[in-house]
Amino acid sequence: MTHFPPPAEELRLLDAELRQLDARRVQLLARRAWLVTTLQPVRPLPPAPPTAPRPETTAPSVQNVLLLLGGILLTVAAMVFTLVSWGHLGITGRSLVLGAVTVAVLGAPVALLRRGLRSTAETVAGLGLALTVLDAYALHETAFGAADGVTYTAVASTGLAALWAAYGTALTALRLPRPAALLAAQLPLPLGAVAADGGPYAVTTAVLLTAALDTVAALRVSVRPVRLVAVVCAFATGGWGALAAGLLSLDAAGPGAAARAAALFSLAAVVALGAARFAPRPGLATGTAVAGGLCLVAGAGGVLRVSLPADWTVPAFLACGIALLAGARGPEPVRRGLVSASGAVQACAVLWTVPAVGVALLGPAVWAGRPWSGVPADARTAATLDAFWPPHAVTAPLILATVAAVLAVRSGEWRPHALPLAWAAVLVLPAALELPYTAGLLVHGLAVLALLGLTARTATALALATSVSLAFLSLAAEPATLAVLAALTAVFAVAARRGRLAPVCAAASVGYATALACAVGASAGWRPEHIALLVLVVPAAAALAAPRVTDPATTLAVEAAGAAAGLLAVGLAVLDLPLLALVLSQCAVIAAGTALRPERRPVGYAAAALFVLAAWVRLAGWEVTVPEAYTLPVTVPALLVGVLRRRRDPQASSWTAYGPGLAATLLPSLAAAWGDPEWTRPLLLGAAALLLTLLGARHRLQAPLVLGGSVLVLDALHELAPYLVQVADALPRWLPPALAGLLLLALGATYEQRLRDVRKVREVLGRMG
């Protein structure tokens, strides 16, 4: 009988069958699509249409190039006709031909503009302007040949400027005639002044008046091409006129000529300031105001230059610049420009004093090579021992002080620069005024005190630079050296107790104390190695004072300066081995005392190294050649330290605890034993190595076991070496190759056995899989 499942079970079975049928249908459809694609013939793709070549330039560019070339060629042809072929025609023919051509060319742009050919009209108009110039030349050759060339050029340029301006006004669509008229208008006034034999002042005045007219055109004309040409012409003629006025002011030999040059500068300043007053852009207004202010200063300074001695030339210009600052009025861009011009004058004055300041600051360093050679005549002689004093620099302090005062009364970012300028004024004052040598020292010392009284970082840096220069300057005389170094030591020690730059002052105090110790020893006639003992007082005092300083940075600075003093002491004693050993031991004591402080424990390593080095130097001084005398003082303390460390930390490695100490003696002794023909050292070294090996085996320590055993084996080989050589000579020649062959054969067999074992393991694993 047929079994029918329950309806729910039957529905589930039907759904499962339908899903399987859908999946099979999707699979068959995919296979059918692949077969259809495979059986279809492959059709080649249609060829791509050929691309047109890309043009390398635009049509307007081609048009402009063609028109420009055509205009140039026509202009050249007209010039050739005028200059070469002119003589083949009579006067009437010449006039008719050239006039007719000019009128025709100038009238052609009217028709071209009506047809919309603007570019062609511009080209033809340019040709017409060139023909008018040729007309002027032809007119001079035919009718005005006896006239002066300069005068005729001035008149002709005036006529051409008027003609071109009228032509451009009539045809406003053309952009070329009116700028060309402005260019032609640059010639009439200067050429007229030259034709009238006006001299350089009259010509310069004409150039500046032309610049004024250009400025008016640049400010008032609204046509962009004309305005641009006017700006360029204004700058060109104005700069030419100002330069000419400057040359005339420099050549002026008296107040009259200087006053005339100043009048020219005033005219240039009026033009520049007027342009600044009405300039549409703030940047342009500020720039032209700067030019105007500099012209005013140059004019007034030129008059003062010829009226005062040469030493006061720079102060005179500086006074004019400061007066310009006081008279800065008007709109903000103009006022800013005048202030900038005044600042430029003051900066130039300060730059002029730089050589004098450099000589005053760096010149005394020469005394380091000639200490205590005699008191110089004055402060300038002391600063210029191997240098020269700049000419006319007697007023350098006045210049620096004046600029410093100006900056001090001003508010803003420039006020902090007043302090370096005031310092430079005080620094250069003794040399500039040729004060006595002692007065120069006193002035520099007071400057150091005043600067250290300020809290600014710049003041401390300047005080340090001044003190270095003062220290070098004091080397000229013995009493001055001792007094200055003692004073600097005390002053910087007091200054170290205040301010944020206490580390710098503290280090400087220690440095000057070191120099004072050297100076005292040299004054007493001591040799350098004996002076080293006196220098050691400084690092000792620094080590005692450092813990009492609360600032960590200052403490570090004091200790670093003391370490440098100790290094200097070592360098002074290096030629005397007994004294060098004493100096090194004293440095070790100082370092050990420093290491007592908890935060300076690592200094103990340096103390140990210094003690060892002192012992070695002492032994070298005694001419001891036994290496153990040098190494045992290192090994014994190192082993004691290792024992203490192992007691505190039983997990510490024996290589860390005992390795360095043992190697310090064993390795040098082994090297000495291999070169020692006697039996005493190898015997003692072997006994010591045997003892270390036994101790390492007893306590299970690697370092004594490995080092002792290695040294013992090498020492035994050294003793057996002569016998081994004899045995090697007694062996047959074939024995070494035979032994090598047997060794290689054994290695090959072992390698093959390992490969066979690997294959067996692989087979077992394969059967397991």
Side-chain angles (χ1 to χ4, degrees):
M1 294 178 67
T2 303
H3 173 70
F4 293 97
E9 181 66 19
E10 185 178 3
L11 179 61
R12 186 183 65 81
L13 294 174
L14 289 176
D15 290 340
E17 290 292 337
L18 289 175
R19 283 196 297 270
Q20 292 179 0
L21 290 175
D22 290 340
R24 181 60 178 168
R25 185 173 184 277
V26 171
Q27 181 180 3
L28 293 175
L29 288 175
R31 180 65 179 175
R32 180 181 181 281
W34 180 82
L35 291 173
V36 170
T37 305
T38 304
L39 294 175
Q40 287 180 353
V42 179
R43 297 179 180 179
L45 296 176
T51 58
R54 182 180 179 182
E56 296 182 355
T57 183
T58 61
S61 300
V62 174
Q63 165 196 301
N64 293 333
V65 170
L66 294 176
L67 291 176
L68 179 62
L69 291 176
I72 293 175
L73 293 176
L74 288 175
T75 303
V76 171
M79 292 176 62
V80 171
F81 172 77
T82 303
L83 300 177
V84 178
S85 303
W86 188 259
H88 299 288
L89 300 175
I91 296 178
T92 305
R94 300 172 191 173
S95 302
L96 291 176
V97 170
L98 194 55
V101 171
T102 303
V103 171
V105 171
L106 291 177
V110 177
L112 294 174
L113 289 174
R114 291 176 181 175
R115 295 177 177 270
L117 303 177
R118 182 174 177 177
S119 299
T120 306
E122 291 282 359
T123 304
V124 175
L127 177 59
L129 299 183
L131 289 176
T132 57
V133 176
L134 295 177
D135 287 336
Y137 169 75
L139 188 60
H140 177 269
E141 293 295 322
T142 57
F144 301 100
D148 178 63
V150 178
T151 304
Y152 182 80
T153 304
V155 175
S157 60
T158 304
L160 290 175
L163 176 62
W164 294 349
Y167 184 69
T169 304
L171 298 178
T172 56
L174 298 178
R175 291 176 294 181
L176 182 60
R178 282 175 289 182
L182 185 59
L183 288 175
Q186 307 301 308
L187 299 178
L189 289 179
L191 293 180
V194 173
D197 295 332
Y201 291 95
V203 174
T204 305
T205 303
V207 171
L208 292 175
L209 291 176
T210 304
L213 296 176
D214 293 333
T215 303
V216 173
L219 295 174
R220 296 301 181 184
V221 176
S222 60
V223 181
R224 181 177 176 80
V226 180
R227 188 170 64 251
L228 293 177
V229 173
V231 170
V232 174
C233 292
F235 276 107
T237 54
W240 179 19
L243 179 61
L247 295 176
L248 293 174
S249 180
L250 290 177
D251 291 339
R260 290 193 295 271
L264 295 176
F265 272 122
S266 300
L267 178 57
V270 168
V271 175
L273 294 177
R277 176 64 178 81
F278 298 99
R281 296 180 181 179
L284 182 61
T286 301
T288 52
V290 170
L294 293 178
C295 288
L296 291 175
V297 173
V303 175
L304 295 177
R305 181 184 65 85
V306 298
S307 304
L308 297 174
D311 293 338
W312 292 91
T313 299
V314 177
F317 279 95
L318 178 61
C320 297
I322 296 174
L324 181 65
L325 179 64
R329 298 290 185 272
E332 177 61 25
V334 177
R335 186 165 60 253
R336 191 185 310 119
L338 294 177
V339 171
S340 300
S342 177
V345 174
Q346 296 178 54
C348 291
V350 171
L351 288 177
W352 180 82
T353 64
V354 168
V357 176
V359 171
L361 179 64
L362 304 177
V366 180
W367 289 103
R370 307 176 188 178
W372 301 348
S373 57
V375 178
D378 50 51
R380 182 180 296 183
T381 305
T384 58
L385 190 63
D386 280 350
F388 70 94
W389 185 251
H392 309 303
V394 68
T395 56
L398 176 62
I399 294 171
L400 292 168
T402 303
V403 178
V406 171
L407 294 180
V409 299
R410 293 184 60 189
S411 60
E413 59 181 357
W414 292 101
R415 176 174 290 181
H417 296 82
L419 179 60
L421 293 178
W423 163 79
V426 175
L427 183 68
V428 79
L429 180 64
L433 301 182
E434 296 182 284
L435 297 179
Y437 172 70
T438 306
L441 294 178
L442 182 61
V443 170
H444 287 184
L446 293 177
V448 173
L449 288 174
L451 290 170
L452 290 177
L454 303 176
T455 58
R457 293 176 177 266
T458 305
T460 305
L462 296 177
L464 186 61
T466 308
S467 65
V468 173
S469 179
L470 176 60
F472 281 121
L473 193 63
S474 67
L475 293 177
E478 180 180 345
T481 302
L482 298 176
V484 167
L485 291 178
L488 290 177
T489 302
V491 166
F492 278 97
V494 173
R497 302 178 63 87
R498 53 178 299 184
R500 291 178 297 177
L501 291 181
V504 177
C505 294
S509 178
V510 175
Y512 286 125
T514 305
L516 178 61
C518 295
V520 170
S523 178
W526 293 0
R527 298 179 59 185
E529 52 269 22
H530 297 129
I531 296 176
L533 298 176
L534 184 59
V535 172
L536 283 177
V537 176
V538 177
L544 293 175
R548 295 173 173 80
V549 180
T550 58
D551 181 24
T554 306
T555 302
L556 182 60
V558 171
E559 291 174 344
L567 185 61
L568 176 62
V570 172
L572 291 174
V574 73
L575 297 180
D576 192 328
L577 293 183
L579 278 176
L580 179 60
L582 178 59
V583 170
L584 289 172
S585 62
Q586 294 300 319
C587 291
V589 171
I590 297 172
T594 303
L596 294 177
R597 293 155 51 194
E599 69 275 10
R600 293 292 186 266
R601 295 299 187 201
V603 183
Y605 297 104
L610 288 172
F611 275 124
V612 171
L613 187 59
W616 288 357
V617 172
R618 181 71 266 183
L619 293 173
W622 286 337
E623 299 181 356
V624 176
T625 58
V626 180
E628 291 77 8
Y630 296 89
T631 58
L632 286 177
V634 179
T635 297
V636 174
L639 292 178
L640 292 177
V641 173
V643 172
L644 294 176
R645 181 171 183 181
R646 289 274 298 179
R647 287 182 179 179
R648 294 182 179 180
D649 183 13
Q651 302 299 325
S653 173
S654 63
W655 289 103
T656 305
Y658 307 125
L662 295 176
T665 294
L666 291 177
L667 298 182
S669 298
L670 180 62
W674 272 79
D676 192 352
E678 301 295 333
W679 59 272
T680 306
R681 177 179 279 112
L683 179 61
L684 295 176
L685 179 62
L690 178 61
L691 178 61
L692 286 175
T693 304
L694 295 177
L695 289 175
R698 171 69 179 80
H699 297 284
R700 297 181 180 181
L701 299 177
Q702 289 184 1
L705 181 62
V706 174
L707 289 176
S710 300
V711 172
L712 181 61
V713 171
L714 292 175
D715 186 65
L717 288 177
H718 171 263
E719 295 302 315
L720 295 176
Y723 305 101
L724 294 177
V725 171
Q726 294 177 3
V727 171
D729 291 339
L731 291 175
R733 296 297 179 90
W734 55 267
L735 186 58
L739 293 176
L742 290 175
L743 177 62
L744 293 176
L745 184 63
L747 291 176
T750 303
Y751 186 72
E752 183 180 6
Q753 180 66 31
R754 297 294 181 270
L755 290 177
R756 186 173 61 184
D757 293 342
V758 170
R759 282 195 294 269
K760 288 181 179 180
V761 171
R762 186 174 59 186
E763 291 174 358
V764 172
L765 293 176
R767 288 194 297 269
M768 292 175 63

